[in-house]
Amino acid sequence: MIKTNRRGFFKICAGGMAGTTLAALGFAPGYALAETRSYKLIKAKETRNNCTYCAVGCGVLLYSMGDGAKNASDTIFHVEGDPDHPVSRGSLCPKGAGLLDYIHSKNRLHYPQYRAPGSDKWQRISWDEAIERIARLMKADRDANFQHKNQQGTIVNRWTTTGMLCSSAASNETGLLDYKFSRSLGMLAVDNQARLCHGPTVAALAPSFGRGAMTNNWVDIKNADVIIIMGGNAAEAHPVGFKWVIEAKKQRNARLIVVDPRFNRSAAVADHYAPIRPGSDAAFLLGVVRYLIEKDAIQHAYVKAYTNAALIINEKYDFHEGLFSGFDHTTGAYDTASWQYEFDEQGYARRDETLAHPRCVWNLLKQHVARYTPECVENICGTPQSDFLTVCEMLATTSAQNKTTSFLYALGWTHHTIGGQIIRGAAIIQLLLGNIGMPGGGINALRGHSNVQGYTDLGLLSQSLPGYMPLPSEKQTSLASYLKAVTPTTLRAGEVNYWQNTPKFFISLMKSLYGDNATVDNHWGYDWLPKWDKSYDVTTQAELMLDGKMNGYIVQGFNPLAAFPDKNKASRAFSSLKYMVVIDPLATESACFWQNEGEFNDVNSAEIQTEVFRLPSSCFAEENGSIANSSRWLQWHQAAANPPGEALHDSKILGRLFVRLRQLYQQEGGATPEPLLNTHWPYLDPADPLPEEVARESNGYALQDLHDEQGNLVLKKGQQLSSFAQLRDDGSTASFCWIYAGSWTEQGNQMALRDNADPSGLGAVSGWAWAWPANRRILYNRASADPQGKAWDPQRKLIEWNGSAWQGLDVPDFPVNSAPEQQVSPFIMLPDGVGHLFSLNKMVDGPFPEHYEPMESPIGTNPLHPAVVSSPVVRVFARDKKALGSAREFPYVATTYSITELFRHWTKHALLNAIAQPEQFVEISEQLAQAKTIQAGDMIKVSSGRGYIKARAVVTARLQPLTINGKQVETIGIPCHWGFKGATHKGFLANTLTHSIGEANSQTPEYKAFLVNVEKV
């Protein structure tokens, strides 16, 4: 008799589902492995792919049946982990284990459908009918509302009355088409899931180090000596990636710290757990900074050479009672001019090598954090001083040159109105400890969706261009003024300042966007790009809808009714639209926002006049293409089957719609057709661009023969670029996304490489897939060596100077021939070359982090500065301000989170995952349950200033009340997975409770700290 466990139970429960086995659940004992082999029939086809959920990017093997005949259709019957994959090594988590049930979900869409205004049902339509009607609606709206020039007469070529939400799980190749499609029409209201998850990551990490991405990679976590998980829960949200935490504990005796409001599954295996109040992380981290400075637990040589500690700040800079210098009480914004260096006669930043100058960054930092004593941290965070000091002591051990800490965080830091500043706190700690650029170090932002990194890379945000260049604003009236504004000047003599190459990146992008139509005479088509006047992020989009200023919405692989803050506001907003187009493999709540589902979605269908189109698309298992995981690895995956029924790949849907719109403008004319007609769409079949064609375009190619400075031929016309170093600003190169240059070269598709060799044992698997930029696996790796070029840790050499060049395990993130004596600094993307303890003027809410209360504070004051309670520069719309609650009505702090068995709102469509977590629940403490006479399993009502949800009560010791500023504060834990569509029991959308005020730099909503009341139903 076979012994079973929880996963075995899943197998028994799901016995009627094809391919559900123990091994499919990521469990591979000998018996299960043997059982799996019996399914691998002789005629089965094996296809390599990647999991579609979180951004660990686990490898999967898809097994399909089909004899290869012309009219035969392959059917996927089994999914298991890819044992060759260097990150997942054959493992799948419970989410990945349910992939087969997702592929074959009963909620997969098979044909286009239409919902007429006021109707309460769907009707089936053909693809031709759908494309024609959508194109007509879009053209009519664009022609009526397109703005060619603004009131000042500047050409802006923008269309703000139709918006587009782009998928975070589709391929990068689809993302390129999304960008061309939306911007060619002049759309500004373009966003992707990053706006609702890791927006503050880019906002904070880029000013700190130069790039807004995970500094190291999943496998490298095993090299850490201390790992701190704060603002995330890797064991539940990224279970397979978490294995590298366990590997570090086993192989290096690494110590794991977890700081979280809940004693979660990560905490269950931690060496030390510290509780914290949601929304107080900045105070905790600044307390750590104070401790490290006070105890002299910093890596002095690193800090002096590789940070801006010695640089002197403008004499007008100040911070007083919660406000930095330059605050305008009328506009509620900062003038950041004083947040800059003091410059010498050559325009370079002044520095004091002795660190004695009162305005050098080092002394300003010490002064700023002096208030964050252990007593202050306990008062604000609720963390007992003993727990806090234990964390400080453990982190301080890694100030040694041969020790490193790895920070792991996710949405627990980004989902706050000061999310960017929380991340900045971690950046300062890691710079003080000398842990950036080091093996086992870094700040590892754990992305939540399989390709949210890629969609951010590709510029699919309202004010972005591909490769992290900004979209021009209407104030940049010419190409020259734009390039002057966005190309930084070097702030220290001899530094790389790699962004000085922005003209090469930008003009190569314009050649990709407009092809031969972009010429030097028309400034490479600069006028055709839409120019923004304000941010058109998702919360602004909802406002525009409610104000009658947005008429159309294209939603691709996104579930905004479940994802936007304040679900009821989103529902009212969508009901104000004239039309909505939903492109998705599944039947989502957003496509059905007009359907009455009782308490779960109490709407009057007859009153909602929005035309809705539901277009069935492929899923991950049915497309070729690349996705970028959290480690910046671009991994190529392949289709194992065709989409079901009449469903089409996203590229075909976009291609057909683009072609039809272009035909209509060619035949009928309309408002400013030039940007659309001049867009480069060079695909063999314009209605069906192939991923391989698009991937080559993303990489870039030579438009004429390229020669080096000595006249040697580098590339022939038409050849693929091998590096972004080959880009030119004279129109001779085209590259859609400069950081992806090198991903598909003349040697072929580098993203499809599968060499998992790791001879060093340090996880340097540079032959597996391809990482941006330039296949570097650890960013800023020059900082892993001392100023003389020798590795700080001789046992973990990453790169070193060999006398003539930098070489080692990784591609140097540095000019390979820059000798140490030249004193070029490691942070080559920043204009001063050093890591920023003081972040200058790139963040709107301050150059140093500061604790501000969440917008809904349980204590109603800020102990540090009562006159400035919350961030003074957040954007607050009048509707949202009215919906804010107080602690008097809503006395408990709520925080949303994810659980192991479910992924956002997708896996509830997979039967296996629905069986594992069938019903909505909310966690409350034992103390609160006793006070409210609530028993485990009781139905409770959780309400906020925006609405309410009902769920089963889970009474747990995992949550404990904390004393904050003399007041006992309870935390309520709310998983965010259920809704009124799917295979689980119907439930409420958790975002019903959350408010619509976002992080100051990125407008990412504050899902992790809001006020609620709890009642027994």
Side-chain angles (χ1 to χ4, degrees), residues 44-64:
K45 180 179 71 174
E46 181 182 272
T47 305
R48 298 186 183 275
N49 206 292
N50 294 95
C51 182
T52 190
Y53 296 128
C54 84
V56 175
C58 295
V60 297
L61 300 178
L62 307 176
Y63 292 93
S64 54

PDB file of all heavy atoms in Angstrom, residues 44-64:
ATOM      1  N   ALA A  44       3.771  10.478 -27.994  1.00  0.00           N
ATOM      2  CA  ALA A  44       3.640  11.759 -27.318  1.00  0.00           C
ATOM      3  C   ALA A  44       4.753  12.718 -27.749  1.00  0.00           C
ATOM      4  O   ALA A  44       5.890  12.305 -27.979  1.00  0.00           O
ATOM      5  CB  ALA A  44       3.681  11.571 -25.811  1.00  0.00           C
ATOM      6  N   LYS A  45       4.414  13.969 -27.841  1.00  0.00           N
ATOM      7  CA  LYS A  45       5.389  15.014 -28.174  1.00  0.00           C
ATOM      8  C   LYS A  45       5.735  15.771 -26.901  1.00  0.00           C
ATOM      9  O   LYS A  45       4.848  16.165 -26.147  1.00  0.00           O
ATOM     10  CB  LYS A  45       4.797  15.973 -29.209  1.00  0.00           C
ATOM     11  CG  LYS A  45       5.756  17.100 -29.617  1.00  0.00           C
ATOM     12  CD  LYS A  45       5.129  18.003 -30.676  1.00  0.00           C
ATOM     13  CE  LYS A  45       4.016  18.853 -30.100  1.00  0.00           C
ATOM     14  NZ  LYS A  45       3.480  19.831 -31.065  1.00  0.00           N
ATOM     15  N   GLU A  46       7.024  15.980 -26.683  1.00  0.00           N
ATOM     16  CA  GLU A  46       7.482  16.717 -25.508  1.00  0.00           C
ATOM     17  C   GLU A  46       7.872  18.128 -25.929  1.00  0.00           C
ATOM     18  O   GLU A  46       8.663  18.320 -26.858  1.00  0.00           O
ATOM     19  CB  GLU A  46       8.676  16.005 -24.884  1.00  0.00           C
ATOM     20  CG  GLU A  46       9.218  16.694 -23.634  1.00  0.00           C
ATOM     21  CD  GLU A  46      10.436  15.974 -23.076  1.00  0.00           C
ATOM     22  OE1 GLU A  46      10.253  15.044 -22.268  1.00  0.00           O
ATOM     23  OE2 GLU A  46      11.566  16.333 -23.483  1.00  0.00           O
ATOM     24  N   THR A  47       7.327  19.127 -25.255  1.00  0.00           N
ATOM     25  CA  THR A  47       7.588  20.529 -25.577  1.00  0.00           C
ATOM     26  C   THR A  47       8.058  21.251 -24.329  1.00  0.00           C
ATOM     27  O   THR A  47       7.470  21.084 -23.256  1.00  0.00           O
ATOM     28  CB  THR A  47       6.320  21.219 -26.116  1.00  0.00           C
ATOM     29  OG1 THR A  47       5.820  20.474 -27.238  1.00  0.00           O
ATOM     30  CG2 THR A  47       6.612  22.638 -26.538  1.00  0.00           C
ATOM     31  N   ARG A  48       9.088  22.064 -24.476  1.00  0.00           N
ATOM     32  CA  ARG A  48       9.625  22.800 -23.332  1.00  0.00           C
ATOM     33  C   ARG A  48       8.994  24.187 -23.265  1.00  0.00           C
ATOM     34  O   ARG A  48       8.898  24.895 -24.266  1.00  0.00           O
ATOM     35  CB  ARG A  48      11.143  22.890 -23.425  1.00  0.00           C
ATOM     36  CG  ARG A  48      11.789  21.499 -23.399  1.00  0.00           C
ATOM     37  CD  ARG A  48      13.295  21.546 -23.333  1.00  0.00           C
ATOM     38  NE  ARG A  48      13.849  20.191 -23.393  1.00  0.00           N
ATOM     39  CZ  ARG A  48      13.992  19.396 -22.348  1.00  0.00           C
ATOM     40  NH1 ARG A  48      13.636  19.809 -21.154  1.00  0.00           N
ATOM     41  NH2 ARG A  48      14.506  18.174 -22.473  1.00  0.00           N
ATOM     42  N   ASN A  49       8.589  24.542 -22.055  1.00  0.00           N
ATOM     43  CA  ASN A  49       7.874  25.793 -21.849  1.00  0.00           C
ATOM     44  C   ASN A  49       8.232  26.310 -20.463  1.00  0.00           C
ATOM     45  O   ASN A  49       9.113  25.771 -19.805  1.00  0.00           O
ATOM     46  CB  ASN A  49       6.363  25.557 -22.018  1.00  0.00           C
ATOM     47  CG  ASN A  49       5.613  26.811 -22.451  1.00  0.00           C
ATOM     48  OD1 ASN A  49       5.510  27.766 -21.689  1.00  0.00           O
ATOM     49  ND2 ASN A  49       5.071  26.788 -23.671  1.00  0.00           N
ATOM     50  N   ASN A  50       7.545  27.362 -20.053  1.00  0.00           N
ATOM     51  CA  ASN A  50       7.748  27.922 -18.715  1.00  0.00           C
ATOM     52  C   ASN A  50       6.410  28.188 -18.059  1.00  0.00           C
ATOM     53  O   ASN A  50       5.434  28.534 -18.724  1.00  0.00           O
ATOM     54  CB  ASN A  50       8.541  29.232 -18.781  1.00  0.00           C
ATOM     55  CG  ASN A  50       9.959  29.021 -19.260  1.00  0.00           C
ATOM     56  OD1 ASN A  50      10.240  29.174 -20.452  1.00  0.00           O
ATOM     57  ND2 ASN A  50      10.848  28.652 -18.372  1.00  0.00           N
ATOM     58  N   CYS A  51       6.392  28.059 -16.763  1.00  0.00           N
ATOM     59  CA  CYS A  51       5.156  28.273 -16.016  1.00  0.00           C
ATOM     60  C   CYS A  51       4.649  29.689 -16.236  1.00  0.00           C
ATOM     61  O   CYS A  51       5.429  30.644 -16.330  1.00  0.00           O
ATOM     62  CB  CYS A  51       5.398  28.013 -14.532  1.00  0.00           C
ATOM     63  SG  CYS A  51       3.910  28.201 -13.530  1.00  0.00           S
ATOM     64  N   THR A  52       3.345  29.826 -16.274  1.00  0.00           N
ATOM     65  CA  THR A  52       2.717  31.119 -16.608  1.00  0.00           C
ATOM     66  C   THR A  52       2.420  31.975 -15.400  1.00  0.00           C
ATOM     67  O   THR A  52       1.905  33.072 -15.545  1.00  0.00           O
ATOM     68  CB  THR A  52       1.410  30.873 -17.384  1.00  0.00           C
ATOM     69  OG1 THR A  52       0.933  32.100 -17.910  1.00  0.00           O
ATOM     70  CG2 THR A  52       0.336  30.262 -16.473  1.00  0.00           C
ATOM     71  N   TYR A  53       2.728  31.492 -14.202  1.00  0.00           N
ATOM     72  CA  TYR A  53       2.325  32.230 -13.010  1.00  0.00           C
ATOM     73  C   TYR A  53       3.421  33.174 -12.527  1.00  0.00           C
ATOM     74  O   TYR A  53       3.730  34.148 -13.182  1.00  0.00           O
ATOM     75  CB  TYR A  53       1.864  31.248 -11.926  1.00  0.00           C
ATOM     76  CG  TYR A  53       0.628  30.475 -12.351  1.00  0.00           C
ATOM     77  CD1 TYR A  53       0.592  29.085 -12.282  1.00  0.00           C
ATOM     78  CD2 TYR A  53      -0.504  31.113 -12.849  1.00  0.00           C
ATOM     79  CE1 TYR A  53      -0.530  28.373 -12.670  1.00  0.00           C
ATOM     80  CE2 TYR A  53      -1.626  30.415 -13.250  1.00  0.00           C
ATOM     81  CZ  TYR A  53      -1.640  29.046 -13.158  1.00  0.00           C
ATOM     82  OH  TYR A  53      -2.748  28.350 -13.557  1.00  0.00           O
ATOM     83  N   CYS A  54       4.049  32.908 -11.400  1.00  0.00           N
ATOM     84  CA  CYS A  54       4.973  33.898 -10.848  1.00  0.00           C
ATOM     85  C   CYS A  54       6.258  33.962 -11.673  1.00  0.00           C
ATOM     86  O   CYS A  54       6.500  33.138 -12.548  1.00  0.00           O
ATOM     87  CB  CYS A  54       5.257  33.604  -9.382  1.00  0.00           C
ATOM     88  SG  CYS A  54       6.550  32.373  -9.090  1.00  0.00           S
ATOM     89  N   ALA A  55       7.104  34.917 -11.327  1.00  0.00           N
ATOM     90  CA  ALA A  55       8.286  35.204 -12.157  1.00  0.00           C
ATOM     91  C   ALA A  55       9.520  34.436 -11.729  1.00  0.00           C
ATOM     92  O   ALA A  55      10.642  34.846 -12.042  1.00  0.00           O
ATOM     93  CB  ALA A  55       8.571  36.704 -12.143  1.00  0.00           C
ATOM     94  N   VAL A  56       9.349  33.301 -11.035  1.00  0.00           N
ATOM     95  CA  VAL A  56      10.475  32.388 -10.902  1.00  0.00           C
ATOM     96  C   VAL A  56      10.825  31.856 -12.286  1.00  0.00           C
ATOM     97  O   VAL A  56      11.989  31.644 -12.606  1.00  0.00           O
ATOM     98  CB  VAL A  56      10.134  31.229  -9.938  1.00  0.00           C
ATOM     99  CG1 VAL A  56      11.280  30.208  -9.894  1.00  0.00           C
ATOM    100  CG2 VAL A  56       9.872  31.767  -8.538  1.00  0.00           C
ATOM    101  N   GLY A  57       9.804  31.690 -13.133  1.00  0.00           N
ATOM    102  CA  GLY A  57      10.042  31.238 -14.505  1.00  0.00           C
ATOM    103  C   GLY A  57      10.388  29.772 -14.594  1.00  0.00           C
ATOM    104  O   GLY A  57      11.210  29.360 -15.430  1.00  0.00           O
ATOM    105  N   CYS A  58       9.758  28.950 -13.752  1.00  0.00           N
ATOM    106  CA  CYS A  58      10.071  27.519 -13.704  1.00  0.00           C
ATOM    107  C   CYS A  58       9.920  26.865 -15.075  1.00  0.00           C
ATOM    108  O   CYS A  58       9.010  27.196 -15.841  1.00  0.00           O
ATOM    109  CB  CYS A  58       9.147  26.812 -12.715  1.00  0.00           C
ATOM    110  SG  CYS A  58       9.370  27.344 -11.014  1.00  0.00           S
ATOM    111  N   GLY A  59      10.801  25.914 -15.363  1.00  0.00           N
ATOM    112  CA  GLY A  59      10.704  25.154 -16.597  1.00  0.00           C
ATOM    113  C   GLY A  59       9.648  24.070 -16.476  1.00  0.00           C
ATOM    114  O   GLY A  59       9.526  23.410 -15.437  1.00  0.00           O
ATOM    115  N   VAL A  60       8.858  23.886 -17.537  1.00  0.00           N
ATOM    116  CA  VAL A  60       7.863  22.822 -17.572  1.00  0.00           C
ATOM    117  C   VAL A  60       8.008  22.030 -18.865  1.00  0.00           C
ATOM    118  O   VAL A  60       8.458  22.556 -19.892  1.00  0.00           O
ATOM    119  CB  VAL A  60       6.415  23.352 -17.436  1.00  0.00           C
ATOM    120  CG1 VAL A  60       6.202  24.032 -16.104  1.00  0.00           C
ATOM    121  CG2 VAL A  60       6.061  24.306 -18.568  1.00  0.00           C
ATOM    122  N   LEU A  61       7.634  20.786 -18.779  1.00  0.00           N
ATOM    123  CA  LEU A  61       7.552  19.920 -19.945  1.00  0.00           C
ATOM    124  C   LEU A  61       6.087  19.648 -20.225  1.00  0.00           C
ATOM    125  O   LEU A  61       5.343  19.207 -19.338  1.00  0.00           O
ATOM    126  CB  LEU A  61       8.285  18.599 -19.687  1.00  0.00           C
ATOM    127  CG  LEU A  61       9.780  18.708 -19.372  1.00  0.00           C
ATOM    128  CD1 LEU A  61      10.363  17.328 -19.096  1.00  0.00           C
ATOM    129  CD2 LEU A  61      10.537  19.386 -20.508  1.00  0.00           C
ATOM    130  N   LEU A  62       5.677  19.928 -21.451  1.00  0.00           N
ATOM    131  CA  LEU A  62       4.300  19.696 -21.872  1.00  0.00           C
ATOM    132  C   LEU A  62       4.267  18.468 -22.766  1.00  0.00           C
ATOM    133  O   LEU A  62       5.038  18.374 -23.722  1.00  0.00           O
ATOM    134  CB  LEU A  62       3.762  20.907 -22.650  1.00  0.00           C
ATOM    135  CG  LEU A  62       3.888  22.281 -21.964  1.00  0.00           C
ATOM    136  CD1 LEU A  62       3.406  23.378 -22.911  1.00  0.00           C
ATOM    137  CD2 LEU A  62       3.108  22.318 -20.662  1.00  0.00           C
ATOM    138  N   TYR A  63       3.394  17.528 -22.468  1.00  0.00           N
ATOM    139  CA  TYR A  63       3.246  16.325 -23.270  1.00  0.00           C
ATOM    140  C   TYR A  63       1.911  16.375 -23.988  1.00  0.00           C
ATOM    141  O   TYR A  63       0.862  16.575 -23.373  1.00  0.00           O
ATOM    142  CB  TYR A  63       3.345  15.070 -22.393  1.00  0.00           C
ATOM    143  CG  TYR A  63       4.734  14.886 -21.839  1.00  0.00           C
ATOM    144  CD1 TYR A  63       5.084  15.392 -20.591  1.00  0.00           C
ATOM    145  CD2 TYR A  63       5.721  14.250 -22.598  1.00  0.00           C
ATOM    146  CE1 TYR A  63       6.367  15.251 -20.108  1.00  0.00           C
ATOM    147  CE2 TYR A  63       7.004  14.098 -22.118  1.00  0.00           C
ATOM    148  CZ  TYR A  63       7.329  14.607 -20.874  1.00  0.00           C
ATOM    149  OH  TYR A  63       8.604  14.459 -20.406  1.00  0.00           O
ATOM    150  N   SER A  64       1.986  16.215 -25.303  1.00  0.00           N
ATOM    151  CA  SER A  64       0.772  16.308 -26.114  1.00  0.00           C
ATOM    152  C   SER A  64       0.683  15.116 -27.049  1.00  0.00           C
ATOM    153  O   SER A  64       1.693  14.517 -27.434  1.00  0.00           O
ATOM    154  CB  SER A  64       0.756  17.613 -26.921  1.00  0.00           C
ATOM    155  OG  SER A  64       1.940  17.743 -27.693  1.00  0.00           O
TER     156      SER A  64
END
